[in-house]
Amino acid sequence: MCKRISITTELSSLSSQFRIQEVGFSYTPCATVEPTQELPVVVRHHQEQRLEQFRWGLVPFWAKDAVYADSSLVHEKPAYRRMFAKQRCIIPCNGYEVVKREGKKQTPLRVALKEQGTFGIAGLYEIWLDSRGGEYRTCTVMTTRPNRLVHEYEEYMPVILGQDEMEEWLDDSRRDPDYLQHLLKPYDPDQMEVSTI
C-alpha cells in the first residue's frame, strides 16, 4: 500500500499531461502527501477535465475512513458501485512510498516510473454537502494485487493508468463494470523502479 505520495510537478506540465482545462484551487507542488491530507485530483465535469482539491480518505456514513478501495471488492458495497459507475478520478503522482521490513527494522522506499516523471493513479471520489451547504470533497486510491517488483514490500499496489486508460477511466459514459474492471491491473514492473528515500 502506498503510505505517502508525492506530486512535485509544476502546474503547467500537469495541465498539459492531464489535459486540464480548469483549476479549482491554488495548486502548490508537494513532496509528501499523507492520508487525510489534501491532494490534487483530476475529475471530468461537463466534458472538461478539472484539477480540484480533495481530502485523501473517504469519510462516508457507511464506512470508516477509506484511504484505499480494493478493486477486486468494489462491487460488494452499493456506495462503491455508485462511485465506480460515475465518480471516478485520477490522482497525479510522481512516486509513492512503501516500506521494506526486516525484523523490527522498517525502511521507507520510493516507487516511481523509470521513463515518466508524473503518472496517474485511479481513484474514486465523493462530494458531500454539510449542514451549511458547503462541499466536503474526499477521494480514495484504487488498489490491485502487486506486481513482481512491489510484492515483496506490500500486499497491494495503487492502480497506475496509462494515458489512454486515463481517458477511458474518466469517461463517464463508460459504466460497464466488466470493462472498467479490466483497467484495474498491476502496472508493468519493467517500467518501474524502487529506490531508497
Side-chain angles (χ1 to χ4, degrees):
M1 216 75 80
C2 53
K3 310 300 182 186
R4 299 177 181 88
I5 68 172
S6 63
I7 177 61
T8 57
T9 310
E10 293 299 323
L11 182 58
S12 58
S13 297
L14 205 64
S15 297
S16 176
Q17 180 176 349
F18 293 90
R19 301 174 187 173
I20 295 165
Q21 284 89 31
E22 190 172 346
V23 180
F25 69 107
S26 180
Y27 169 78
T28 303
C30 187
T32 303
V33 183
E34 299 180 357
T36 74
Q37 293 181 336
E38 303 288 321
L39 78 171
V41 170
V42 180
V43 295
R44 184 168 290 173
H45 184 67
H46 297 309
Q47 302 306 311
E48 288 191 345
Q49 289 181 194
R50 294 174 52 92
L51 188 68
E52 299 284 0
Q53 191 172 47
F54 283 72
R55 176 191 184 274
W56 182 5
L58 299 172
V59 283
F61 66 91
W62 46 266
K64 294 181 179 179
D65 199 320
V67 175
Y68 311 102
D70 185 346
S71 62
S72 66
L73 304 175
V74 77
H75 301 306
E76 294 187 3
K77 292 183 178 179
Y80 273 132
R81 285 199 298 269
R82 176 176 51 78
M83 285 187 283
F84 190 59
K86 56 185 179 181
Q87 291 171 221
R88 302 185 298 271
C89 63
I90 300 291
I91 300 166
C93 181
N94 297 113
Y96 68 92
E97 183 181 312
V98 296
V99 175
K100 180 179 180 180
R101 297 172 178 84
E102 298 173 304
K104 294 183 178 181
K105 182 181 179 182
Q106 296 190 8
T107 304
L109 302 173
R110 176 182 170 83
V111 181
L113 300 191
K114 292 178 180 178
E115 303 296 332
Q116 186 175 341
T118 307
F119 53 92
I121 294 174
L124 303 175
Y125 73 89
E126 184 66 281
I127 300 177
W128 297 90
L129 295 178
D130 62 26
S131 59
R132 297 181 179 180
E135 289 187 344
Y136 190 55
R137 298 164 176 255
T138 64
C139 67
T140 187
V141 168
M142 296 294 296
T143 62
T144 187
R145 64 191 183 280
N147 60 25
R148 57 180 164 79
L149 181 71
V150 178
H151 85 278
E152 66 176 290
Y153 310 116
E154 302 289 347
E155 296 180 3
Y156 299 92
M157 68 178 293
V159 174
I160 299 172
L161 300 174
Q163 191 65 46
D164 291 340
E165 293 171 328
M166 286 193 285
E167 289 297 313
E168 295 176 347
W169 182 249
L170 290 178
D171 184 353
D172 56 13
S173 69
R174 292 193 178 275
R175 298 190 179 184
D176 177 23
D178 291 333
Y179 178 83
L180 294 170
Q181 194 73 45
H182 97 276
L183 301 175
L184 307 177
K185 58 186 181 296
Y187 201 74
D188 181 358
D190 293 330
Q191 297 185 41
M192 303 177 68
E193 61 185 4
V194 177
S195 58
T196 55
I197 296 177

